[in-house]
């Protein structure tokens, strides 16, 4: 019997301009263009997929733990999409390992579904191009479509595309400060739906976000760090203002998140060397250049105590 098995790895990504809201809920088509940087191996997922006619159902082992609930359901639904698209009938055994500690509060859906899409097509012996792979990963989780590329990536519509290779600006880092390791109470999927339905601030965001996308692309292109930092902080602030305006409101940031924003402001007094951005959770992503990583870490530790930090 032919063994249909493959392993693939993908890194997580941090959005400089956030994806928030869908035009099509089922197909996961975004309301707005997003721009991201794919992170390093320190924030990645490695997944092995085995398809076999001997398996009565799909199974999932995540970081060594057998999953049976919602996580398995999401993976199985994604495998259904693959089975339908490529006329495959076998069930699959999925084994996935994150490079970062379990339950550290870092979302793994981007790296997870990118690695799963890559490993699945490889296991099935299907050759597809990057755009098609990105479009496939998107069906698992929107942000995953950006993680099939390294470097700097933009996503609008049905697939993402690389805009610059990693080597264009290899000094950029994401200093991830883990404030809260709990899984978020409200999924971004549910939260973004609610924002689209109820927030006026979000309607306004949709009219300005494209201009910001252009500014971020320009900042990356010219390696203009102060412009990049200013623009990503603006976009993060706007997203969280939209969440505040959502009815009932969605609160991902905590006192500690705001304390970190203060540290960033203090550090940027003389020269802009770091920019913050927050996703659907309280953990801070501090974008900086390699030469400033040590100082950013020291300043955060001095103010926040002994928090966990991952350099992505
Ligand atoms: C992003 N986030 O651009 C934004 C910023 C969180 C805040 O993409 O419903 O897990 O699976 O498409 O991709 C997180 O949402 O949501 C996300 P689905 P996803 O990175």
């Amino acid at each position: 019997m032919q063994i249909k098995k493959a392993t693939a790895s993908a890194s997580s990504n941090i959005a400089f301009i956030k994806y928030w809201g869908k035009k099509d809920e089922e197909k996961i088509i975004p309301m707005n263009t997003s721009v991201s940087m794919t992170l390093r191996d320190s924030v990645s997922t490695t997944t092995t997929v085995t398809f076999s006619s001997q398996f009565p159902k799909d199974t999932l082992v995540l970081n060594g733990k057998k999953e049976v609930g919602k996580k398995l359901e999401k993976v199985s639904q994604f495998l259904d999409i693959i089975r339908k698209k490529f006329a495959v009938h076998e069930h699959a055994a999925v084994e996935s390992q994150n490079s970062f500690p379990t339950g550290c509060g870092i979302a793994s859906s981007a790296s997870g579904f990118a690695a799963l899409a890559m490993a699945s097509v490889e296991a099935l012996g299907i050759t597809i191009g990057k755009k098609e792979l990105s479009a496939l990963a998107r069906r698992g989780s929107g942000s995953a479509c950006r993680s099939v590329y390294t470097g700097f990536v933009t996503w609008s519509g049905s697939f993402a595309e690389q805009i610059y290779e990693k080597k264009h600006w290899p000094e950029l880092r994401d200093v991830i400060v883990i404030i809260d390791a709990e899984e978020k109470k409200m999924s971004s999927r549910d939260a973004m739906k609610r924002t689209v339905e109820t927030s006026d601030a979000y309607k306004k965001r949709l009219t300005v976000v494209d201009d910001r996308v252009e500014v971020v692309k320009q900042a990356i292109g010219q390696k203009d760090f102060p412009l990049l930092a200013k623009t990503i902080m603006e976009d993060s602030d706007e997203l969280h203002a939209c969440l505040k305006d959502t009815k009932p409101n969605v609160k991902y940031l905590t006192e500690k998140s705001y304390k970190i924003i203060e540290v960033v402001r203090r550090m940027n007094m003389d020269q802009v060397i770091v920019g913050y951005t927050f996703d659907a959770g309280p953990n801070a992503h501090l974008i900086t250049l390699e030469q400033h990583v040590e100082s950013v870490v020291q300043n955060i530790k001095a103010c926040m105590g002994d928090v966990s930090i991952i350099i992505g």
Side-chain angles (χ1 to χ4, degrees), residues 15 18-20 22 28 74 109 140-143 146 188-189 192 239 279-280:
K18 309 296 187 190
Y19 144 56
W20 200 255
K22 298 177 180 72
I28 312 190
K74 225 178 148 191
S109 71
S141 191
S143 51
R146 299 187 307 237
S188 28
R189 191 162 291 190
M192 62 175 82
L239 170 68
D279 281 345

Side-chain angles (χ1 to χ4, degrees), residues 15-285:
F16 290 163
I17 300 295
K18 309 296 187 190
Y19 144 56
W20 200 255
K22 298 177 180 72
K23 274 183 192 152
D24 184 320
E25 293 283 329
E26 195 222 324
K27 294 213 162 70
I28 312 190
I29 302 296
M31 280 285 203
N32 68 281
T33 301
S34 52
V35 181
S36 62
M37 175 174 75
T38 299
L39 301 175
R40 295 143 77 88
D41 292 350
S42 51
V43 207
S44 64
T45 304
T46 299
T47 297
T48 300
V49 181
T50 313
F51 285 91
S52 169
S53 52
Q54 310 279 313
F55 298 151
K57 56 184 174 55
D58 297 324
T59 53
L60 171 66
V61 175
L62 197 53
N63 301 313
K65 182 176 160 260
K66 191 165 192 250
E67 297 282 350
V68 285
K70 274 205 167 137
K71 284 183 179 143
L72 170 63
E73 204 180 302
K74 225 178 148 191
V75 162
S76 207
Q77 278 168 4
F78 180 66
L79 291 167
D80 283 342
I81 291 168
I82 292 182
R83 280 186 281 259
K84 193 169 167 208
K85 186 173 168 65
F86 301 108
V88 173
H89 303 290
E90 294 105 319
H91 283 109
V94 177
E95 246 190 282
S96 210
Q97 190 73 39
N98 292 327
S99 65
F100 44 91
T102 309
C104 73
I106 298 184
S108 54
S109 71
S111 56
F113 280 102
L116 181 58
M118 286 150 100
S120 298
V121 294
E122 205 187 315
L124 294 167
I126 296 159
T127 314
I128 56 172
K130 276 272 172 153
K131 283 181 186 170
E132 216 184 325
L133 183 64
S134 171
L136 184 62
R138 186 198 84 236
R139 300 296 302 273
S141 191
S143 51
C145 78
R146 299 187 307 237
S147 268
V148 307
Y149 305 92
T150 56
F152 302 90
V153 180
T154 182
W155 169 36
S156 31
S158 59
F159 55 84
E161 287 176 283
Q162 189 187 59
I163 43 175
Y164 293 100
E165 288 179 29
K166 187 181 172 183
K167 67 174 186 219
H168 166 71
W169 202 358
E171 300 85 5
L172 266 194
R173 293 285 183 279
D174 180 3
V175 177
I176 308 170
V177 187
I178 315 294
I179 295 174
D180 185 353
E182 293 269 308
E183 269 199 36
K184 54 185 177 259
K185 285 163 200 77
M186 181 172 230
S187 73
S188 28
R189 191 162 291 190
D190 294 341
M192 62 175 82
K193 186 164 185 283
R194 194 192 281 180
T195 305
V196 172
E197 287 166 359
T198 66
S199 169
D200 290 330
Y202 177 75
K203 288 192 185 85
K204 182 165 174 271
R205 167 174 172 75
L206 292 179
T207 67
V208 298
V209 72
D210 279 346
D211 287 343
R212 206 177 288 135
V213 164
E214 291 312 312
V215 175
V216 157
K217 282 186 182 169
Q218 184 198 330
I220 298 168
Q222 296 171 353
K223 297 199 251 183
D224 183 339
F225 185 80
L227 182 63
L228 178 72
K230 175 182 163 282
T231 315
I232 66 173
M233 291 190 280
E234 206 174 279
D235 196 67
S236 174
D237 287 347
E238 187 181 81
L239 170 68
H240 292 276
C242 290
L243 291 167
K244 203 172 166 198
D245 183 54
T246 296
K247 289 104 185 160
N249 71 353
V250 182
K251 238 169 114 181
Y252 286 128
L253 305 188
T254 64
E255 283 301 314
K256 286 183 182 170
S257 315
Y258 289 107
K259 218 168 146 187
I260 290 183
I261 291 176
E262 282 310 314
V263 177
V264 168
R265 288 194 179 136
R266 268 208 309 276
M267 288 193 73
N268 284 341
M269 237 37 140
D270 297 332
Q271 185 199 354
V272 179
I273 59 160
V274 54
Y276 61 79
T277 183
F278 295 86
D279 281 345
N283 298 324
H285 292 259

